[in-house]
Amino acid sequence: MTVSGEALSRRGAVVPCRDCTDDDGFTWHRDEERRLTARITELSAEGRATLAALTAARLQPHYLRFHAETGRGDPRVLGRALDDVWRKLDDGTPVTLPVMLAAFDQLQIAADTPGALAGLAWYSAAAVTNACHAAVHGEIREPLHCLRYGREATLTVSWHATGGTRSAGWHDALLQAEVRRQRADLDSVASQ
């Protein structure tokens, strides 16, 4: 099979998704990211960490399943790291570097394992790692990444639920439910 000059010129270009919008297919992604960034910017450092932790907690079942089916990783490490984030938010107990590094190790285990289940475990571990960073630094980037991991994991689950026969786009029911949960979490955190 040869690759046409047209295909090569499109390499790296945005490929439209008929499920998303009529223009470049990723407008909803960019618009959602802009809305989320604006809202996260308005949150306190504690609010940002809370948002990241809520999202990370929702992704934990992926890592539990990964461990149960592959025997790889240790979901208790991620649980302890997330517990440390909640303690930091409750009473100011610091999230320590060893806890963060241990969570990062779980991320690496998932990254080094092939398969879709490992990809979902990666999103889970990455969200916990980012929640730890958000608790320590209070930056905007980490909770935004956690929200993105939640959406990406949902798209992956949806795609695999169909046996990979259709692309999951903006109109996907699972993705819409995740976006609603994320917005509800943001509303809840912002109101506190």
Side-chain angles (χ1 to χ4, degrees):
M1 173 169 72
T2 61
V3 178
S4 71
E6 179 184 324
L8 285 174
S9 68
R10 289 174 29 123
R11 187 180 184 126
V14 175
V15 179
C17 171
R18 62 184 159 76
D19 222 10
C20 297
T21 64
D22 292 330
D23 53 27
D24 67 5
F26 292 97
T27 297
W28 83 267
H29 289 285
R30 285 193 308 271
D31 289 348
E32 185 68 12
E33 291 278 317
R34 282 187 196 113
R35 281 190 294 275
L36 291 170
T37 301
R39 297 221 32 220
I40 293 168
T41 301
E42 296 171 356
L43 297 176
S44 66
E46 292 80 15
R48 293 172 186 158
T50 301
L51 181 62
L54 288 168
T55 305
R58 213 171 25 254
L59 292 172
Q60 287 306 285
H62 296 306
Y63 207 90
L64 291 168
R65 182 172 169 217
F66 166 73
H67 173 72
E69 291 187 20
T70 67
R72 302 208 49 175
D74 186 350
R76 294 172 300 181
V77 170
L78 295 178
R80 284 191 297 271
L82 204 49
D83 287 346
D84 277 7
V85 171
W86 292 119
R87 270 193 294 283
K88 164 89 167 141
L89 292 166
D90 286 341
D91 64 20
T93 303
V95 177
T96 64
L97 185 58
V99 166
M100 291 171 66
L101 291 174
F104 184 78
D105 287 344
Q106 298 307 303
L107 190 153
Q108 194 59 49
I109 290 168
D112 291 342
T113 306
L117 190 54
L120 291 169
W122 186 93
Y123 289 128
S124 175
V128 171
T129 303
N130 275 271
C132 289
H133 281 274
V136 172
H137 303 292
E139 294 181 6
I140 297 165
R141 177 182 54 227
E142 286 86 5
L144 185 61
H145 285 176
C146 287
L147 294 174
R148 188 178 301 146
Y149 299 147
R151 293 190 310 274
E152 291 296 326
T154 301
L155 286 172
T156 300
V157 167
S158 185
W159 187 76
H160 284 284
T162 67
T165 58
R166 67 172 174 82
S167 64
W170 172 244
H171 299 293
D172 181 80
L174 288 176
L175 178 61
Q176 286 296 312
E178 176 62 19
V179 168
R180 282 191 300 276
R181 280 189 295 268
Q182 290 181 0
R183 290 176 182 166
D185 286 348
L186 254 168
D187 290 343
S188 175
V189 170
S191 70
Q192 295 180 5

